[in-house]
Amino acid sequence: MSTATETDLRAELCVDESEFEALAEPWGRLHRACPAATPFQSHAWLSSWWRSYGRTGRLRVVLVRDGDRLVAAAPLMRVSRPLPALKPLGGAISDFTDVLLDGGCREAGLEALLGGLYALAGTAPIDFGEVRPGACVESLYARWPGPRRTLADSECLELPALPMEELLKRLPTPRAQRTRAKMRKLSAMGVESRVVPVEEVESSVRTLLRLHQLQWQGRKVTTEHLQPRFHEHLLRSMRPMVAAGEAVVTEFRLDGEVMAADLTLLSGTLAGGYLYGAHPQLRERKVDVATMLLDACTRHTGGEHRRALSLLRGNEPYKHHWRPEPVANRRFLLARRRTAPLACAAAWGAEGRRWAKERLRERDERRAAGRDGGRAKDGEGGGRRGGGASS
């Protein structure tokens, strides 16, 4: 299926898995040419996710080409539950969704993509969740000719593109002094960090996953992070992403042994701490793991590529230690007249769940205040929120 536009660009619908798999090179060029792109729109991430989580016959990827050059893309899939809809690839383990638009021909690509998506919306509403401010989807929403809705989605926390010492200056003096003391302790203990080269990425990711499972043994953990399909996805996607500069894996050694490993995802404007694993012995030795990880992440936010440091989804108390700025994701529903009732039902369901969640949160806060006078125990920083749940 294709849709002609006034710009002579054409929107094509890709439903073939092998065709999508073969798009790595042109998709990579488009990803690099899209200023708003996040790591979750890279081909390595999306194609690997589809192999682990996709279902045969559900792929719906809208492509816009200018000759042989890919200039826009919307990676979608058809879902039937809880309601029929077209949703972005990446699922719950991806913190941001978006379409891709080549910055060199943004207007023409946007118009052609809009036409292709409008045709597709006749079968089911398009549901973009977890859209970061400034994403390309916002432009689609502004020009959408049919029924549309926007809803609040997850809150993320971000730090500016500053080195660690500058971030410390944002803290109250006593807290900054304590943090510097913790960093000196890391040096005195002999903790060494190392960025993992491409050829060692798969082995290091296996170590990270083993340490992640070990650190949360006997404690509440995101169950998806323990599933074989999640492990296969990371093992498959990280080597090409590291090779393309879309991810970096860092190991932390103590006495010659890898005691922690961190996975940070990168794009032109964003560095996101996605997942880490730390041996329980670090906690026993009073190592401030959160500070150690943040220090490593800040090494990828400055220099030639200034990147905001995203703590990704979640508003956990330990993240506020660094005085981050809240950044609210949005959810965009795009429909046509015939599919508008489905979009309305999805919006009502989301608003109902949000209302119920707020009531539960208020109840839990009242109970906590009654138990301890509202005081909460400071932890080690548990885990950064990535992929829709605590890491």
Side-chain angles (χ1 to χ4, degrees), residues 205-238:
V205 170
R206 291 186 188 278
T207 299
L208 186 157
L209 292 168
R210 176 180 58 81
L211 289 170
H212 182 76
Q213 186 168 355
L214 185 63
Q215 112 188 35
W216 293 102
Q217 198 167 37
R219 304 159 65 195
K220 186 178 180 180
V221 64
T222 304
T223 55
E224 184 58 35
H225 291 167
L226 306 180
Q227 299 302 314
R229 62 184 181 182
F230 179 76
H231 291 194
E232 291 166 2
H233 164 62
L234 285 189
L235 289 166
R236 187 167 47 232
S237 62
M238 282 308 106

Side-chain angles (χ1 to χ4, degrees), residues 144-369:
W144 189 256
R148 58 184 185 168
R149 292 285 299 272
T150 180
L151 304 166
D153 220 330
S154 301
E155 184 174 78
C156 301
L157 297 173
E158 287 189 8
L159 291 167
L162 295 173
M164 188 65 167
E165 186 56 37
E166 293 299 314
L167 290 178
L168 288 172
K169 291 179 182 178
R170 293 162 50 90
L171 305 182
T173 300
R175 183 179 294 175
Q177 290 174 342
R178 290 195 298 271
T179 303
R180 290 189 181 96
K182 292 173 180 178
M183 295 174 66
R184 289 194 296 270
K185 180 179 179 179
L186 289 170
S187 297
M189 292 176 64
V191 175
E192 299 178 345
S193 65
R194 180 184 76 115
V195 173
V196 176
V198 173
E199 59 272 16
E200 298 178 26
V201 165
E202 184 173 344
S203 174
S204 186
V205 170
R206 291 186 188 278
T207 299
L208 186 157
L209 292 168
R210 176 180 58 81
L211 289 170
H212 182 76
Q213 186 168 355
L214 185 63
Q215 112 188 35
W216 293 102
Q217 198 167 37
R219 304 159 65 195
K220 186 178 180 180
V221 64
T222 304
T223 55
E224 184 58 35
H225 291 167
L226 306 180
Q227 299 302 314
R229 62 184 181 182
F230 179 76
H231 291 194
E232 291 166 2
H233 164 62
L234 285 189
L235 289 166
R236 187 167 47 232
S237 62
M238 282 308 106
R239 182 178 176 119
M241 290 185 72
V242 169
E246 297 163 353
V248 60
V249 181
T250 305
E251 291 181 344
F252 302 86
R253 292 176 178 266
L254 183 59
D255 300 328
E257 182 181 354
V258 178
M259 299 295 286
D262 171 82
L263 170 59
T264 295
L265 303 181
L266 305 172
S267 67
T269 60
L270 183 76
Y274 185 73
L275 191 75
Y276 78 89
H279 199 287
Q281 287 182 8
L282 292 179
R283 186 169 64 249
E284 294 167 5
R285 296 178 68 168
K286 308 299 182 184
V287 171
D288 190 323
V289 174
T291 296
M292 180 181 74
L293 296 170
L294 188 74
D295 184 32
C297 284
T298 58
R299 299 170 197 175
H300 308 290
T301 60
E304 181 181 353
H305 298 287
R306 303 286 290 182
R307 299 179 173 107
L309 176 54
S310 176
L311 305 180
L312 300 181
R313 285 178 289 170
N315 200 13
E316 296 92 333
Y318 81 89
K319 293 180 178 179
H320 291 273
H321 173 90
W322 301 99
R323 292 191 167 181
E325 296 295 326
V327 178
N329 286 351
R330 302 289 291 175
R331 181 178 176 184
F332 294 93
L333 294 163
L334 310 173
R336 293 177 64 169
R337 188 176 300 276
R338 73 187 75 168
T339 55
L342 289 171
C344 288
W348 294 334
E351 290 169 352
R353 288 188 296 273
R354 184 172 294 275
W355 181 88
K357 187 175 180 179
E358 284 297 311
R359 302 293 80 75
L360 287 172
R361 182 184 60 79
E362 292 171 359
R363 183 199 65 183
D364 292 342
E365 288 177 352
R366 288 195 298 269
R367 288 179 176 177

